[in-house]
Amino acid sequence: MRRANQSVVTEFIFQGLSSQPRTQTVLFVVFLAFYLLTLVGNTVVILVIRADRQLKSPMYFFLANLSFLDICYISCNVPQMLVNLLSEKKTISFSGCAVQMYFSLAFGMTECFLLGVMAYDRYVAICHPLHYTTVVSRQLCIHMVLASWASSLLSSMVINSLTLQLPFCGPATLNHYFCEVPAVLALACADTAVMEMVVFIFSILIVFIPFLFITTSYVRILSAILKIHSARLQAKTFSTCGSHLMVVTIFYGTAICMYMNPRARAPQDGDKVVAVFYTIVAPMLNPFIYSLRNKDMEHALRRALKRPKSLFL
């Protein structure tokens, strides 16, 4: 039963990253640049992989999917944040918040699964090279990507449905720059213990277990690399994994800090900074990390620049 001093929430108010007008202007320029770089960088990666016949291995199939996912992920949050940075009234409707929370969580979960799938691909390629083409078939790649998307969309639906069933009280001020589950949960005017445990369990299943899988895969990969007698071949083999490791470190290192907490609490300013890394910085850096550290991508990009029309055919 709702208390007399409680009101039905129809919109949420964002506190954002700063309340200072000058700082907001600077942040607008910075995050607009980040957003445009993400769109351009990931689109180029997708087009180059699609156009170049030498980039038809499973690794690049997964990379193209990761680039598409990163475009979707950053587009969930940054456009709204950019509007709020220039607006006096930084609000979002209840339904708009629900949609943003659903898709941002679903895309984040998909990234967790996809990074795990990419680790498996590298493990088979390095530890079982003779069986690579038969084990990691095109059909298996498609099934793993579809499973990643389907399980994430379903999991996000469960979490969001349970979260939105809670009563919310006014004034509904989110100490965040987008609608994220921990921040929204903090505004519920009811006991959230069950919901906190649900989020924690899903975090173990979708964040921590894939992270352990990735860690185990790379322990075995490192063991296999150390058995290679040629230093040049060792460096070349490890370079194919280095890019993925950097992406995993940035994304998982920050996502685990946010979600691997069994008890919800009011989000702090530091939490918003952490969220910037896995929702904005990681999607922006991914195409540059993979392109600059991958010789095949570098060569494919040079070939594409010589005949740019091939990217759109």
Side-chain angles (χ1 to χ4, degrees), residues 61-294:
F61 172 76
F62 294 133
L63 178 55
N65 277 275
L66 180 65
S67 292
F68 173 73
L69 174 61
D70 283 336
I71 290 173
C72 296
Y73 194 17
I74 198 170
S75 295
C76 270
N77 311 317
V78 173
Q80 176 73 52
M81 182 180 69
L82 293 175
V83 170
N84 289 338
L85 285 170
L86 296 182
S87 303
E88 215 173 294
K89 190 179 180 183
K90 309 179 192 311
T91 61
I92 187 171
S93 66
F94 187 89
S95 58
C97 184
V99 171
Q100 186 183 63
M101 187 166 63
Y102 171 74
F103 283 108
S104 62
L105 183 61
F107 293 145
M109 289 176 169
T110 306
E111 183 130 357
C112 289
F113 284 127
L114 196 53
L115 290 174
V117 167
M118 294 173 76
Y120 173 73
D121 170 70
R122 291 298 82 208
Y123 162 72
V124 178
I126 293 172
C127 298
H128 304 284
L130 298 178
H131 304 287
Y132 179 67
T133 54
T134 54
V135 173
V136 189
S137 63
R138 179 75 177 181
Q139 187 176 19
L140 178 63
C141 293
I142 294 172
H143 286 166
M144 287 194 291
V145 169
L146 290 177
S148 298
W149 279 94
S151 56
S152 299
L153 291 170
L154 181 60
S155 298
S156 182
M157 184 182 297
V158 172
I159 293 174
N160 280 270
S161 297
L162 293 173
T163 300
L164 296 173
Q165 285 177 7
L166 295 169
F168 293 93
C169 315
T173 302
L174 281 168
N175 186 19
H176 217 309
Y177 59 89
F178 75 102
C179 290
E180 190 171 33
V181 173
V184 174
L185 266 181
L187 299 182
C189 47
D191 185 8
T192 59
V194 174
M195 194 58 225
E196 292 162 15
M197 189 53 60
V198 169
V199 172
F200 182 62
I201 291 170
F202 271 94
S203 298
I204 292 174
L205 295 174
I206 295 170
V207 179
F208 193 63
I209 290 180
F211 178 71
L212 286 179
F213 176 78
I214 292 169
T215 303
T216 303
S217 297
Y218 274 104
V219 168
R220 295 185 177 183
I221 287 171
L222 182 60
S223 176
I225 290 175
L226 292 176
K227 293 177 182 178
I228 300 174
H229 299 295
S230 169
R232 184 182 64 82
L233 194 56
Q234 275 186 344
K236 183 179 179 181
T237 305
F238 191 76
S239 69
T240 64
C241 305
S243 302
H244 184 253
L245 273 175
M246 290 178 67
V247 172
V248 167
T249 301
I250 295 170
F251 183 81
Y252 271 100
T254 51
I256 286 176
C257 291
M258 182 64 73
Y259 283 95
M260 292 303 297
N261 183 0
R263 297 293 299 173
R265 56 184 171 78
Q268 307 297 314
D269 290 340
D271 294 334
K272 293 184 285 187
V273 176
V274 169
V276 166
F277 279 91
Y278 61 81
T279 61
I280 300 174
V281 176
M284 180 197 66
L285 289 180
N286 284 356
F288 299 100
I289 290 173
Y290 278 104
S291 299
L292 295 176
R293 292 182 57 85
N294 187 303

